[in-house]
Amino acid sequence: MGEKKWAEVRPREDYFRILNPDGSVEGTVPEVSRQELLRWYEVLVETRTFEAMVLRLQRRGVLSVAASSRGEEASGLGAAAALQVGDWLFPAYRQLSAVLYWNAPVDRIMAGLMGNTPEHIREHLPLPPEVPPGVNILPYPVFLGAYVPLAVGCALADKLNGRKHVSLAFVGEGSTSEGDFHDGLNFAGVLESPCVIIVQNNQWSISVPASRQTAAATFAQKAVAYGLPHERVDGNDIFAVYDTVKKAVDRARAGGGATVIETVTYRILDHNSADASAAYRTEDEAEYWKTLDPVERFEKYLFNQGILDQATKTAMEERAEKRLREEIERGRAVPPTPADNMFLHHLQGEAGWSTQHQRDELACELAGGNPFLDMTGEGMQ
């Protein structure tokens, strides 16, 4: 491991907070039914259970890579819970809680993690005839900053067509250094696009700390340059996230335009299973942020209010374990997508020389040859 570590700068903790780490509250708790609060808790249980299962599968060689949202789950869930049926959700890879809240099929998620294409998954895991109405969930792009202009454009299409839908997009704080982020916010401000952009600040852009990403005091204030309102909340406080995003979503739906919200949290684990954070940071900050765990503090609140008891908690955990294990096995049973399916979606005209050459290279390799030795630029030797 590296001997030199980044010096971490803890962010200011003057953000909006309702639920304290000890489960007590300050200010006003948003109006949410008892049933909905239990639903939130169940989604948090499902999220941690699923991610633990996926990581074990990765360690066994079933998956090539796995990422975790542990310690950040409140940002995704609190924001997604503020949406309505028909809205658009643009999650990245640390918002599993958001897609589980809206009942995304876990078997399809698992099949996707195994590298299958959406078309192939649809063929082998068709949805039941009757699917409850929900939000529209988009797959995430590799370049996460690209989500901002996509969400802004999606929201603008709804606005121009007279639909009262809102688009909600997530990016990390590292994505605010990408041009797409700024292009999208500029359009959102000028065109008053009905969208909400969440900057989930987990303080690490893979191996680069937030203090090396920007000289700005906060990531939320980047919205000022585009004339957009902005908020900064405790990203480990599900009430603060829900309350703030709900107001922004309602404002967008009423024609008030876009809002940028920074949810301050921390990536307590490695970037993903291919990373080793011990090479570039100490565990001091991670240990501190573990004391601010979003699931533990929400659980304390539910216990304190008599909404959750140990028997209900145990039943939820057992139900999640059983359901997720069954759905994961269904996802794993999907046969691998044929490799040459990557060539199915040529957008215009006939495939050119380069595409045909790549097809030939793949065919050579699938036949047991070596495309680097057995082929020339004119095809097979």
Side-chain angles (χ1 to χ4, degrees), residues 9-10 113 127 235 281 327 350:
V9 179
R10 187 173 296 171
L113 290 175
L127 293 175
R281 75 180 192 188
E327 294 204 36
E350 294 296 322

Side-chain angles (χ1 to χ4, degrees), residues 14 19 22 56 273 283 335:
D14 55 352
L19 184 60
D22 64 359
R56 289 197 294 272
S273 56
E283 285 301 302

Side-chain angles (χ1 to χ4, degrees), residues 262-336:
E262 177 187 355
T263 61
V264 184
T265 180
Y266 191 82
R267 196 197 80 206
I268 62 173
L269 301 178
D270 295 332
H271 175 69
N272 58 31
S273 56
D275 179 39
S277 59
Y280 51 81
R281 75 180 192 188
T282 68
E283 285 301 302
D284 295 345
E285 277 301 297
E287 291 301 318
Y288 170 72
W289 282 87
K290 287 177 184 175
T291 68
L292 308 180
D293 186 89
V295 179
E296 291 181 7
R297 77 166 72 174
F298 185 50
E299 182 180 293
K300 289 174 184 174
Y301 172 82
L302 295 178
F303 270 105
N304 292 341
Q305 297 298 314
I307 298 172
L308 180 68
D309 55 38
Q310 187 57 48
T312 304
K313 176 186 174 185
T314 301
M316 281 186 181
E317 291 170 344
E318 292 176 349
R319 188 163 58 242
E321 179 86 12
K322 181 177 185 298
R323 182 177 79 84
L324 293 172
R325 192 174 297 280
E326 291 173 352
E327 294 204 36
I328 285 174
E329 288 308 309
R330 280 202 300 273
R332 291 184 62 187
V334 173

Side-chain angles (χ1 to χ4, degrees), residues 200-263:
Q200 187 164 315
N201 174 14
N202 70 10
Q203 303 179 50
W204 282 95
S205 178
I206 306 182
S207 59
V208 180
S211 61
R212 301 293 293 179
Q213 281 283 329
T214 184
T218 74
F219 288 94
Q221 72 180 54
K222 292 191 176 189
V224 173
Y226 306 104
L228 295 174
H230 59 284
E231 303 288 345
R232 187 169 176 266
V233 305
D234 180 349
N236 288 8
D237 173 359
I238 194 167
F239 287 143
V241 174
Y242 172 77
D243 188 72
T244 304
V245 176
K246 180 72 166 53
K247 290 174 181 173
V249 166
D250 290 347
R251 175 175 173 275
R253 205 181 307 279
T259 302
V260 175
I261 299 171
E262 177 187 355
T263 61

Side-chain angles (χ1 to χ4, degrees), residues 32 36 40 75-85 87 89 98 101-102 135 166 168 170 196 198 238 240-250 253 261:
V32 181
E36 178 70 354
W40 288 3
S75 290
L77 176 56
L83 294 177
Q84 295 181 5
V85 170
D87 288 341
L89 176 62
Y101 175 80
W102 282 102
V135 300
V166 175
L168 173 68
F170 292 87
V196 178
I198 306 292
I238 194 167
V241 174
Y242 172 77
D243 188 72
T244 304
V245 176
K246 180 72 166 53
K247 290 174 181 173
V249 166
D250 290 347
R253 205 181 307 279
I261 299 171

Side-chain angles (χ1 to χ4, degrees), residues 147-162:
Y147 249 177
V148 178
L150 292 176
V152 171
C154 177
L156 184 61
D158 278 331
K159 176 183 176 180
L160 295 175
N161 283 282

